[in-house]
């Protein structure tokens, strides 16, 4: 896959605050593709995906045409092989959808676009983004954020955090935004955008 010019990844583990950064960018006028919500939309509408979920994840993964998300979550976050199978089912469809979306955004005059994803490496999207912004926060803050919005137990949240360990950006060139409830987010976003603009100007 080739890099899509102007496409920046917003990544980070569950509870890090990717959605907060994405919303700020949208308010600033930048288009942001949310992999999670788009994946849900694609999964809901694709009969082929429904068949694969029942065959590869659980026979009751889809009931009366509706995806049983609590059951799928229970299965995949206790079985890494099942999680890999689920990701394999969804990633190709999301990547194709993202590429089409980028074409539409470019046609609408946007030179910079963002994609929000928790699985930049596993999905293969790392191969098509031009830059990476990792959103970070201490693990105790991440756990509390997820508890408040989801009602999941700490054990369930830690299982999701552990499932994302392979997404570490430590060895990959990237920028960092600290979302620890003390460092203001907006100045960090402006600084990264200015850095990209200045780099493009020099290039």
């Amino acid at each position: 896959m080739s890099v899509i010019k102007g496409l920046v990844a917003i990544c980070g583990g569950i509870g890090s605050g990717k959605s907060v950064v994405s919303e700020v960018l949208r308010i600033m006028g930048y288009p942001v593709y949310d992999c999670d919500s788009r994946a849900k939309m694609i999964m809901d509408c694709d009969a082929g995906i429904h068949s694969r979920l029942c065959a590869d994840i659980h026979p009751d993964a889809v009931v009366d045409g509706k995806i049983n998300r609590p059951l799928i979550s229970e299965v995949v976050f206790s079985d890494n092989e099942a999680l890999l199978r689920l990701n394999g089912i969804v990633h190709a469809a999301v990547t194709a959808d993202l590429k089409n979306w980028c074409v539409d955004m470019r046609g609408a005059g946007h030179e910079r676009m963002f994609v929000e994803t928790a699985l930049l490496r596993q999905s293969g999207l790392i191969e098509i983004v031009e830059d990476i912004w990792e959103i970070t926060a201490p693990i105790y803050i991440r756990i509390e954020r997820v508890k408040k919005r989801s009602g999941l137990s700490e054990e369930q949240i830690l299982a999701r955090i552990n499932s994302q360990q392979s997404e570490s950006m430590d060895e990959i060139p990237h920028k960092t935004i600290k979302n620890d409830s003390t460092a203001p987010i907006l100045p960090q976003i402006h600084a990264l955008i200015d850095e990209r603009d200045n780099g493009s100007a020099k290039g």
Side-chain angles (χ1 to χ4, degrees):
M1 291 189 285
S2 57
V3 170
I4 297 176
K5 184 173 176 57
L7 182 62
V8 178
I10 301 168
C11 65
I14 184 172
S16 61
K18 298 183 297 297
S19 60
V20 174
V21 173
S22 294
E23 188 57 29
V24 171
L25 288 165
R26 289 189 183 98
I27 293 171
M28 294 172 68
Y30 295 104
V32 183
Y33 182 102
D34 179 3
C35 282
D36 188 46
S37 63
R38 297 286 287 215
K40 289 177 181 176
M41 179 186 71
I42 293 168
M43 289 171 69
D44 285 340
C45 300
D46 193 317
I49 288 179
H50 288 189
S51 296
R52 292 189 63 189
L53 290 174
C54 291
D56 298 344
I57 305 301
H58 193 282
D60 296 325
V62 181
V63 179
D64 296 330
K66 295 184 178 180
I67 295 176
N68 188 341
R69 288 193 166 86
L71 173 62
I72 291 175
S73 295
E74 182 180 346
V75 171
V76 301
F77 288 113
S78 61
D79 180 350
N80 192 56
E81 290 300 319
L83 179 60
L84 292 175
R85 291 196 300 273
L86 175 63
N87 289 340
I89 292 169
V90 178
H91 290 330
V94 171
T95 299
D97 186 60
L98 171 60
K99 289 180 176 179
N100 291 332
W101 177 86
C102 286
V103 171
D104 291 342
M105 293 301 103
R106 186 80 67 196
H110 295 284
E111 296 183 358
R112 181 177 295 122
M113 302 155 288
F114 295 85
V115 53
E116 177 188 335
T117 176
L119 301 173
L120 183 63
R121 301 179 74 165
Q122 288 184 39
S123 65
L125 295 181
I126 193 169
E127 298 180 18
I128 66 174
V129 298
E130 193 175 50
D131 204 356
I132 300 169
W133 293 4
E134 183 183 25
I135 318 306
T136 65
I139 192 167
Y140 70 91
I141 291 180
R142 294 169 58 190
I143 291 172
E144 288 305 312
R145 286 172 179 164
V146 180
K147 275 185 179 179
K148 288 179 181 178
R149 76 185 188 212
S150 69
L152 293 173
S153 68
E154 184 166 333
E155 182 180 3
Q156 290 172 315
I157 297 168
L158 287 171
R160 284 157 173 74
I161 289 174
N162 290 334
S163 75
Q164 297 173 346
Q165 291 304 312
S166 62
E167 289 295 318
S168 171
M169 295 292 119
D170 289 347
E171 299 177 358
I172 299 172
H174 68 280
K175 312 298 192 308
T176 300
I177 292 179
K178 293 182 179 179
N179 185 25
D180 59 2
S181 301
T182 59
I185 290 177
L186 188 58
Q188 297 181 74
I189 292 175
H190 277 302
L192 291 181
I193 289 174
D194 289 344
E195 180 181 332
R196 282 188 58 81
D197 288 342
N198 292 335
S200 298
K202 291 177 182 177

